[in-house]
Structures are given as structure tokens and as C-alpha cells.
Amino acid sequence: MNILERFSQFVSSTFAIWVLIFATFAFLSPNTFSWIGGYITILLGIVMFGMGLTITVDDFKEVLTRPKDVAVGVIGQFVIMPTLAYLLAKGFNLPPEIAIGVILVGCCPGGTSSNVMTFLSKGDVALSVTITSITTLLAPFVTPALILLFASEWVDIAPSSLFISIVQVVLIPIILGIIVQKVFKKQAKASVKVLPLVSVIAIVAIVSAVVAGSQEKIAETGLLIFVVVILHNTLGYAIGYLFAKLFKMNLPKRKAIAIEVGMQNSGLGVALAAAHFSPLAAVPSAIFSVWHNISGPILATIFRHMKDK
């Protein structure tokens, strides 16, 4: 078990490298990975189930003790990234499928990797965990509404279908994870140690499936999507930081808000695109998954050396 735990930590710390390696293999040999496309929803459900195993009552206590800080983070998450996505889609005059994909990832809740990056940056980890948990639980209601608001000019949106999908791939697995954690406390506590390995395998498989399924379109539009994704993520960090500063938050809180806003649950974006739109619409989320696991550690290193005046 100790060996497996150490291997899990190693794979988790080198996550971006594995995503890049397998995404490249999937691009060069799409037939090898395309079969995974039918399991994207299940794979994301496994990741969300793992999140449920780690959620505790303490993750929500910040809502009661620091409601203003949590509200700033949640509002920042659901306002800044969707708005940026829409402006980038319009500004770059993106093709409809790519525009929808960029907006999809912008409307998703925060990703769990943001908590790790906040820890590495010496930010407010408790605040980060609470914001991630709250935005994830709000996602079935808020994300479809945001997609309807920002993407309806490119395609007809069915909010009820999106709601059902998010409940199936996010809410139900998280609730099951919480139940298992409560009923099988010892076993759940032991399994949490290898969760990073399971999550990495699942996300790598999801990204590989998307790349394989859209190989030709990526060859045509990959550079444009990559530029838009980098801008989306980087501007999210910057505006999130300034948004927190606007409310006179201290440096650890500003770090947490910036990372929470900039890092998305891109796996959910992939699942929604694959289920409701097109394989190409899933590509921005897949590339986001690769990129934010590169930019996150870079930003954490910069933040780590920052000191409050």
C-alpha cells in the first residue's frame, strides 16, 4: 500500500506530463484511443466519486464563518470565466463548435486541482476547498443557465438536458462518495491515498479520447484553440486576483480566489460537449485540462514568493 501511495503521489505530481504524452499518442494514433470516447461520462463520474470521498462537513464551515469571502469566490467563478469565454469567442470570431466549447469550459465550476495549487502557493486552502465544493454543488443549476445565456446565439440550448447530465456525472457520484465515506470510514480513508492515481488515469483517458475523436479538426484549428485557452486561463487568474483585491482581501485569500477562478473542472466541459454538442466542442476543455495543469504550478511558484505589504 505504501508503494502504491508513493506511486500515486509521483503520478499526481507529474500529471501534466502524462496528459501531454498520451494526448500526443492519441493525436498520432487516434484509432488506438477513440474507443474510450464512449466511457467519458463514467470516467468523470469516477473522478467526482473520489471527490465525494474527500468532502467533509469542515469543507463548508467557511460559509458560516466567512460568508463574504466564499461569496466573492463563488461569484467570481461563475461571472468572470463565462464572461471571458464569451468575449474571447466573439473577439476571435470563433467557429460555432469551438465557441460553444470555450463557453462550456468557462461555465463549469472550479476544479479540484485548484486546492493543491492554492496549498503550493501558500494561499488560503480552507477558502479554496469551500469554494470548489460550493461551485460544484451549484453546477447543476448555474452551469446550464450560464450556457443558455452565453452560447444560445451559436446553438439551441436545452437547459433541462444539461441539468440532468450534470446531476448524473457530478452530483450523484459525489453524494455516493459521501455516503461511502460515512458508512465505510476506515476503507474510505485508506482509498483516499490512491485517489490521485485514479483521477489522473481517468482525466488522461478523457483527454486522449477527445484528442483521438477530433484529430483532424485539431490539426486544422488546434493552434487557435490553444491561444484562446491560454488567454482564457491567464486572464481568469489575473482578473480573479484583482477581483479579490477589490474587496480588500489579504494576500492568501487573493491567491486562493485567483486560482479558483482560473482553474476549471474541464472534465465536466468534455462530458457535456460529448453528450450534447460535438466532438470538436470538447476540444477546448481537453486542451484546458492540459494547459491549466502547466500554468497552475507556474502561478503557484510565483505566488509562493509573494509577500503581503
Side-chain angles (χ1 to χ4, degrees), residues 232-302:
H232 193 193
N233 175 237
T234 306
L235 289 171
Y237 289 145
I239 297 174
Y241 184 88
L242 294 173
F243 188 64
K245 192 173 183 179
L246 180 68
F247 289 91
K248 304 186 186 306
M249 289 183 163
N250 62 27
L251 184 59
K253 292 178 184 178
R254 295 201 297 269
K255 292 175 181 178
I257 299 293
I259 293 170
E260 278 300 314
V261 169
M263 300 188 81
Q264 302 291 89
N265 185 344
S266 47
L268 177 59
V270 169
L272 292 177
H276 299 279
F277 301 102
S278 70
L280 183 58
V283 174
S285 292
I287 293 177
F288 200 103
S289 183
V290 177
W291 172 250
H292 81 181
N293 283 289
I294 296 172
S295 67
I298 293 171
L299 181 65
T301 302
I302 295 169

Side-chain angles (χ1 to χ4, degrees), residues 26-46:
F27 184 82
L28 296 174
S29 181
N31 291 334
T32 306
F33 296 88
S34 57
W35 62 272
I36 304 173
Y39 301 94
I40 287 175
T41 299
I42 295 172
L43 289 167
L44 181 61
I46 291 170

Side-chain angles (χ1 to χ4, degrees), residues 50-100:
M51 181 179 178
L53 286 177
T54 64
I55 289 178
T56 65
V57 175
D58 288 343
D59 294 339
F60 299 95
K61 68 180 181 181
E62 305 298 317
V63 177
L64 300 175
T65 58
R66 296 189 288 170
K68 175 191 169 184
D69 295 344
V70 175
V72 169
V74 173
I75 292 169
Q77 173 68 56
F78 283 132
V79 172
I80 294 170
M81 291 303 274
T83 304
L84 278 174
Y86 177 80
L87 293 175
L88 288 167
K90 297 291 284 185
F92 280 86
N93 194 26
L94 297 178
E97 288 176 299
I98 299 174
I100 293 161

Side-chain angles (χ1 to χ4, degrees), residues 211-235:
V211 171
S214 307
Q215 192 257 9
E216 291 183 6
K217 294 291 182 70
I218 291 174
E220 296 173 12
T221 59
L223 181 60
L224 173 62
I225 299 174
F226 207 85
V227 168
V228 171
V229 164
I230 291 174
L231 282 172
H232 193 193
N233 175 237
T234 306
L235 289 171

